Amino acid sequence: MPYCQRTLLLILLSGVFISSLRPCARAQGRRPVSYEQRVTAPSIPFRRGAAWGLMSPQGKIVVEPRYPNPIKRYFHAPYLWYTTQAGPLPVVLLNEQGQELGHFKTFTQAPNGMVLATGQRTITLFDSVGHLLRATPYASIQEEWHQGLAVVKLPDSVLTTKPATGSYAIRNSEYVIPGLLGLVDAQLREVVPPSFHHIGMYWQGYTPVSLIDRRKGAIDRAGRVTWLSRAHADTIARAYFGGFWAGWSNERQSAAAVDVHDQVVVPFGKYKEITRGQSDPYIAVMQRVRLGAAPNGKWVERWGLLDTTFREITPPLYERLAQHGRWTVVEDAPVGPYQIPQRGALYQGRLVIPARSPQVYPTGDQRYALALESSRDSATHTTVSRYVCYGPQGPTGMAVVSLQAPVYLGHDIFSYQSSYETRPQLILASGQKPFDEEITGVSTAYGGRYYQVRTATKAGLLDTTGRWAVPLSAAYDEVLPHQPDSLFTVRKNKLEGLVTATGQVVVPLEYTWVTHGPGRTFVGRKPDGQFMLGRTGRVRMTLPDYKAQGKKVFKLEILAPGLALLHWLREPATLPSSAGSAMGYERGVLLVNEQGRQILPAEVTQVGPASNGVIWVSNGSAYAVLDYQGKLLTPFKYTNVQPFSQGITLATTGGHEVWLDCFGKEYAQ
């Protein structure tokens, strides 16, 4: 094929591919897709004239039309309807039986499918099917939940005169006192009544609280509160660090800490700083020490660790430290001409790796730490660097010369590569090889779960627990996982098939390539070019020879169990006069069922998502509904269509929104 013709073909293919990906429907939420042609919604909105109501799928009027705006579904709570109206409370909520639940400003989803409906000043709670749970006194419920609890807030108080005490804000010449805060659990039951000006996040079983008069304290998960004395709150409790507060005194030039029970646990005088990160198991403390005699001695910072009982487990010896769970990487002053920091590691506060390495890496599961160590070869008089593996008790026996830090694959297994010219290898933390075959490659983790391990002649799939999902003994040339259905594409002798995570063959090794989708439907291409459509490994139909028809299939999708969508292109007999023009290329789509029937009407140019036993199809200007047997259930007259859910959907026709079901019935009178 001439260069300009190849370029034109690529341009055209790109345009068709992008067009096929362009959604013809807006997503309605992440619920499982049903492929059964059935209406499960108890009620459906319908329009009579300019008003909207609800009727049953059988046509019985549930709510007489009386709402001026369309009734729509709240898809985060799929059993509620809503509509809008003019006024200060514009949202009207209804349940599926047509009962009006109330008028509100806004509504949103809460945990366990509950719905929070905000009224004039307070929030009303409903479950996902519209049952009233209770009206609350809260003005807001915090969207960010922490350890199963959320902060709730009472309505603000608005005064026309300036308050005598406490904090306030000025708004429209009025004085606004913020509403008090409390806590509710995931069932929205009150754990702590609204009584605080500020509530922080739970950390080490407690959260800091304060009152409007700046009094500080802490509450546990049961809501019990312990207050700090005024002296501690003013001089020590500057910042909360999980179970204790710490603060700095300019007068004493040191830091101190007080616990949630108002006890001074670290007095002023010893440390210059006391701190802890959210994920740190230990408390970091810092002292300033003088290096060299006065007056020319240099003051430097040195860090150590306290445990949660405030016992010093690591004296302040290090320039820096960083906690990684049970491991803490420590750093001493640089040495040598290149000023490379000297790093080591503590395990639960005990020194395991002396601070003499330029690099130290704990593994993600905190079982091991890798240190880059150097030694001088007495025979060659050269310096050799290698990564040494350490466990809680010291070196494990693994020491490898590696291009970069070995990658931890989980379950005591590491992957490493000694140079660009060598192949990656697997090694156990003990230093032994996990098996005898020489490894030629190890991939990065697919989906964070699987590694493809290759030898010179075969490939297997190792999961992150060290278990063989597809063992090397299966002797595949390549194994590639597909998420989320846990099927793996396997290749051998230039043929493809599909297997499960347990090695069960779903599609045998008989195809040059395989595409699969819902219901374990697959389309495979045989070496002779023939397409096979089947399910769970069994061929149901040999598809026509499209190549003989002059149609090149360049993309293939499985829309629903037993349904395959093929995108084809036919090249012109002669090259178009304008290089870069797409004129002259014919293209189209085919929808084939497992009986081998092509079920798309001739005028269809685009096919949308399949759900509830039907598919949206387009003739280029409007949409219609097609069932899985190829029957058009509606004319081509819809725009702004949405996927079907519970057997119904909302679309626009003639400039008006209308609901219709998966049998093509419109709900309008």
Side-chain angles (χ1 to χ4, degrees):
M1 182 185 293
Y3 173 79
C4 58
Q5 189 173 359
R6 289 199 305 270
T7 305
L8 178 58
L9 178 61
L10 289 175
I11 293 171
L12 182 56
L13 288 180
S14 300
V16 175
F17 183 74
I18 294 170
S19 173
S20 67
L21 290 181
R22 189 173 295 126
C24 67
R26 297 191 299 272
Q28 286 189 338
R30 301 188 176 221
R31 298 189 301 281
V33 175
S34 171
Y35 297 105
E36 184 179 3
Q37 192 177 6
R38 188 160 65 98
V39 178
T40 58
S43 59
I44 305 171
F46 74 101
R47 187 185 73 249
R48 180 191 295 161
W52 288 78
L54 290 173
M55 70 166 57
S56 71
Q58 294 75 32
K60 180 181 177 181
I61 302 297
V62 177
V63 175
E64 286 290 343
R66 64 173 182 266
Y67 297 105
N69 295 324
I71 298 174
K72 298 184 179 182
R73 177 72 83 193
Y74 177 46
F75 291 107
H76 290 295
Y79 303 103
L80 289 181
W81 297 107
Y82 77 94
T83 186
T84 57
Q85 62 180 14
L89 298 174
V91 177
V92 182
L93 283 182
L94 305 97
N95 63 18
E96 291 215 300
Q97 287 69 45
Q99 177 188 3
E100 193 172 286
L101 304 177
H103 296 202
F104 305 95
K105 287 183 178 179
T106 60
F107 64 102
T108 187
Q109 189 184 28
N112 300 336
M114 298 178 190
V115 174
L116 311 179
T118 304
Q120 198 71 268
R121 284 173 57 83
T122 59
I123 289 176
T124 301
L125 305 179
F126 299 94
D127 65 15
S128 62
V129 297
H131 294 148
L132 174 66
L133 298 180
R134 64 184 179 277
T136 76
Y138 312 132
S140 65
I141 298 178
Q142 190 180 56
E143 291 185 6
E144 183 179 1
W145 290 69
H146 181 64
Q147 296 186 359
L149 299 177
V151 175
V152 293
K153 181 178 178 291
L154 292 179
D156 297 338
S157 299
V158 180
L159 306 176
T160 57
T161 58
K162 182 179 178 179
T165 59
S167 60
Y168 59 88
I170 300 177
R171 187 173 60 207
N172 298 329
S173 301
E174 294 177 326
Y175 300 90
V176 180
I177 300 176
L180 296 177
L181 306 177
L183 289 171
V184 295
D185 63 15
Q187 285 71 44
L188 299 179
R189 295 175 299 208
E190 197 169 79
V191 176
V192 178
S195 50
F196 302 104
H197 177 66
H198 169 77
I199 297 179
M201 301 290 281
Y202 272 92
W203 187 3
Q204 297 294 316
Y206 293 88
T207 182
V209 295
S210 64
L211 293 180
I212 201 166
D213 62 0
R214 297 178 59 190
R215 188 180 182 192
K216 289 184 177 181
I219 53 176
D220 62 14
R221 293 297 303 277
R224 292 183 291 263
V225 59
T226 303
W227 295 104
L228 297 183
S229 64
R230 180 69 70 180
H232 292 163
D234 290 345
T235 60
I236 302 178
R238 302 292 175 86
Y240 180 73
F241 292 106
F244 71 96
W245 285 267
W248 163 266
S249 169
N250 287 326
E251 180 183 353
R252 306 188 190 192
Q253 288 293 294
S254 61
V258 58
D259 67 13
V260 293
H261 304 296
D262 198 36
Q263 301 296 316
V264 175
V265 289
V266 181
F268 286 110
K270 186 171 184 179
Y271 303 115
K272 298 297 183 181
E273 188 173 340
I274 303 170
T275 187
R276 177 164 59 172
Q278 276 278 358
S279 60
D280 293 346
Y282 305 111
I283 303 162
V285 292
M286 184 266 288
Q287 288 181 344
R288 286 192 177 94
V289 298
R290 190 197 300 268
L291 296 182
N296 297 322
K298 178 183 177 183
W299 287 95
V300 296
E301 296 180 353
R302 290 292 182 262
W303 289 87
L305 295 176
L306 309 181
D307 64 15
T308 53
T309 67
F310 304 95
R311 179 177 60 93
E312 190 174 84
I313 55 174
T314 303
L317 300 173
Y318 303 100
E319 278 200 340
R320 295 178 184 84
L321 51 82
Q323 298 184 55
H324 303 271
R326 294 184 290 270
W327 290 94
T328 302
V329 176
V330 296
E331 186 176 305
D332 272 346
V335 296
Y338 300 107
Q339 297 294 297
I340 299 174
Q342 299 298 289
R343 297 183 176 95
L346 316 171
Y347 186 83
Q348 294 184 334
R350 181 177 59 86
L351 184 65
V352 174
I353 306 176
R356 61 191 181 201
S357 303
Q359 299 175 12
V360 174
Y361 304 101
T363 59
D365 62 358
Q366 303 171 29
R367 296 186 64 182
Y368 304 103
L370 296 170
L372 181 61
E373 299 181 358
S374 300
S375 59
R376 190 167 182 80
D377 190 296
S378 57
T380 61
H381 302 288
T382 58
T383 299
V384 177
S385 296
R386 59 183 185 170
Y387 283 95
V388 179
C389 182
Y390 287 82
Q393 307 305 320
T396 63
M398 179 187 123
V400 294
V401 176
S402 183
L403 180 67
Q404 56 188 5
V407 177
Y408 186 57
L409 305 185
H411 205 70
D412 305 329
I413 301 177
F414 290 84
S415 166
Y416 73 96
Q417 187 174 358
S418 56
S419 69
Y420 287 112
E421 291 77 23
T422 60
R423 295 166 174 172
Q425 294 297 307
L426 296 184
I427 192 169
L428 296 175
S430 63
Q432 300 175 334
K433 293 184 65 174
F435 43 80
D436 294 333
E437 289 93 341
E438 181 182 358
I439 301 301
T440 61
V442 180
S443 71
T444 56
Y446 292 98
R449 293 180 58 193
Y450 300 101
Y451 299 87
Q452 183 186 151
V453 178
R454 300 180 58 84
T455 69
T457 59
K458 52 191 174 182
L461 209 64
L462 189 73
D463 68 18
T464 50
T465 68
R467 184 185 65 87
W468 285 104
V470 179
L472 281 172
S473 58
Y476 293 118
D477 296 334
E478 193 168 7
V479 184
L480 297 172
H482 294 273
Q483 299 296 334
D485 54 3
S486 297
L487 288 181
F488 305 95
T489 298
V490 291
R491 295 185 183 132
K492 188 173 183 178
N493 299 328
K494 298 183 179 180
L495 296 178
E496 285 189 1
L498 296 174
V499 301
T500 67
T502 59
Q504 174 192 359
V505 176
V506 175
V507 176
L509 281 161
E510 298 176 357
Y511 304 94
T512 54
W513 54 257
V514 179
T515 297
H516 69 97
R520 292 196 170 174
T521 302
F522 74 94
V523 174
R525 182 175 180 175
K526 288 280 191 175
D528 61 5
Q530 286 290 301
F531 291 100
M532 303 293 175
L533 174 62
R535 294 177 71 177
T536 60
R538 179 186 171 191
V539 174
R540 304 293 179 92
M541 179 56 59
T542 299
L543 299 182
D545 186 356
Y546 299 112
K547 188 175 181 180
Q549 301 174 11
K551 297 177 179 178
K552 180 179 180 179
V553 176
F554 64 91
K555 183 184 176 186
L556 202 151
E557 302 170 82
I558 308 297
L559 295 188
L563 284 180
L565 179 66
L566 295 84
H567 300 257
W568 59 268
L569 174 81
R570 179 181 287 134
E571 295 183 38
T574 59
L575 183 68
S577 57
S578 174
S581 168
M583 294 179 60
Y585 282 86
E586 183 186 358
R587 60 178 183 263
V589 288
L590 299 168
L591 187 62
V592 185
N593 64 18
E594 56 190 354
Q595 286 77 43
R597 289 182 54 229
Q598 200 293 105
I599 63 174
L600 278 185
E603 64 266 40
V604 170
T605 59
Q606 188 176 2
V607 178
S611 59
N612 289 134
V614 293
I615 309 166
W616 279 114
V617 292
S618 172
N619 63 2
S621 59
Y623 290 93
V625 178
L626 184 79
D627 68 15
Y628 290 177
Q629 287 70 47
K631 179 182 178 182
L632 276 174
L633 304 178
T634 69
F636 286 93
K637 65 174 187 175
Y638 298 102
T639 58
N640 299 326
V641 299
Q642 300 185 16
F644 284 82
S645 175
Q646 293 185 286
I648 60 176
T649 192
L650 182 66
T652 302
T653 178
H656 298 286
E657 290 184 307
V658 62
W659 284 86
L660 66 154
D661 65 22
C662 58
F663 296 97
K665 176 184 175 182
E666 280 190 12
Y667 288 77
Q669 291 184 344

